[in-house]
Amino acid sequence: MTRRLELLQLARQVKGFMPDDEGEALFSAAREAGERRPEGTWLEVGAYCGKSAIYLGAAAEETHCVFYSLDHHHGSEENQSGWEHHDTSLIDPADGRLNTLPTWQRSVADAGLENTVIGLVGPSVVIAQHFPVPLDLLFIDGGHGAEVAWADYHAWTPKVVSGGTLLIHDVFPNPADGGRPPYEIYCAARESGRFIDERAVGSLRVLRAV
Ligand code: SAH
Ligand code: MG
């Protein structure tokens, strides 16, 4: 089996909320971004257990990019106890909080991607304020509440270089399908005139910075 197939298969097995077809679209969009701009710097907001990190990491490895996978690893609102996407096996008994960092580390190690996928552990906006490197690719899939999603939009999208790629997950134009904030920041990205649509697969949107 080729290295690429091995990684795509591994990604499918990691816990998370990304359907296989959207994961593969994520890989393809990133692979094309890396071909256009090899040796680039990439970042995702929202790492969870490392599923999207393997899809993106596979593309980063092939194109010699470095990919930062950012999360505070304590879950979003919808991952907390009582919510739809809660997974009790991810609770740290020491403090009763969700902790996805050990699972994320295991995913990246199993994939053999430790030199390509670099973890950043902490609050998105604090890291953004101190993250000086322009981004060739940005994937926004962090908190989906209005405040958090807009904070991510304002903190990170200005760092995307012209010709770079912006990916946004969980974009649901129809409110019946899911929460609005990712859709709203997607609309804002287009309306800003800085990004144009490239592709849509499921709830994944691929945009290019003009
Ligand atoms: N991209 C992942 C899923 C991410 S789920 C995948 O497809 O596999 C959303 C993640 O965002 C959660 O793990 C949560 O901990 C993280 N998150 C939410 N708000 C955050 C914030 N303000 N700073 C850092 N991480 C945040
Ligand atoms: Mg998502």
Side-chain angles (χ1 to χ4, degrees), residues 18 46-48 51-52 70-72 75-76 122-124 139 141-143 148:
M18 167 114 9
Y48 198 60
K51 191 182 194 70
S52 55
L70 180 161
D71 206 301
H72 52 41
S76 300
S124 168
F139 176 45
D141 191 22
V148 196

Side-chain angles (χ1 to χ4, degrees), residues 2-206:
T2 66
R3 170 90 174 131
R4 181 189 292 184
L5 277 178
E6 184 195 321
L7 289 180
L8 293 180
Q9 259 182 35
L10 193 68
R12 285 178 179 228
Q13 286 152 30
V14 174
K15 280 185 189 190
F17 318 107
M18 167 114 9
D20 295 346
D21 61 331
E22 294 178 25
E24 257 146 59
L26 191 64
F27 168 82
S28 302
R31 167 77 221 206
E32 284 163 30
E35 254 159 42
R36 278 196 305 272
R37 311 177 64 85
E39 294 177 36
T41 303
W42 298 0
L43 183 138
E44 75 174 350
V45 182
Y48 198 60
C49 294
K51 191 182 194 70
S52 55
I54 309 270
Y55 284 117
L56 290 168
E61 183 181 75
E62 288 186 19
T63 55
H64 310 285
C65 295
V66 168
F67 168 49
Y68 292 96
S69 174
L70 180 161
D71 206 301
H72 52 41
H73 285 285
H74 295 308
S76 300
E77 195 177 39
E78 61 272 23
N79 307 127
Q80 306 305 323
S81 164
W83 287 71
E84 186 188 347
H85 293 296
H86 183 57
D87 182 341
T88 48
S89 70
L90 296 170
I91 297 294
D92 182 344
D95 62 5
R97 291 192 300 169
L98 198 75
N99 182 9
T100 49
L101 181 56
T103 313
W104 178 91
Q105 269 185 312
R106 177 51 41 219
S107 301
V108 174
D110 287 348
L113 282 169
E114 286 169 312
N115 290 318
T116 299
V117 181
I118 312 299
L120 289 176
V121 182
S124 168
V125 169
V126 175
I127 294 175
Q129 279 161 352
H130 296 269
F131 192 90
V133 193
L135 296 174
D136 299 287
L137 179 147
L138 170 65
F139 176 45
I140 300 185
D141 191 22
H144 292 350
E147 204 177 311
V148 196
W150 279 106
D152 285 339
Y153 175 78
H154 290 302
W156 289 105
T157 57
K159 297 186 197 286
V160 179
V161 298
S162 149
T165 300
L166 171 64
L167 301 141
I168 306 178
H169 197 225
D170 301 305
V171 171
F172 298 112
N174 181 350
D177 297 330
R180 298 304 272 170
Y183 173 70
E184 287 164 6
I185 65 168
Y186 159 71
C187 292
R190 296 173 63 189
E191 282 156 22
S192 73
R194 279 209 57 225
F195 298 94
I196 49 166
D197 269 312
E198 207 166 73
R199 185 167 342 140
V201 176
S203 74
L204 179 72
R205 296 292 178 278
V206 183

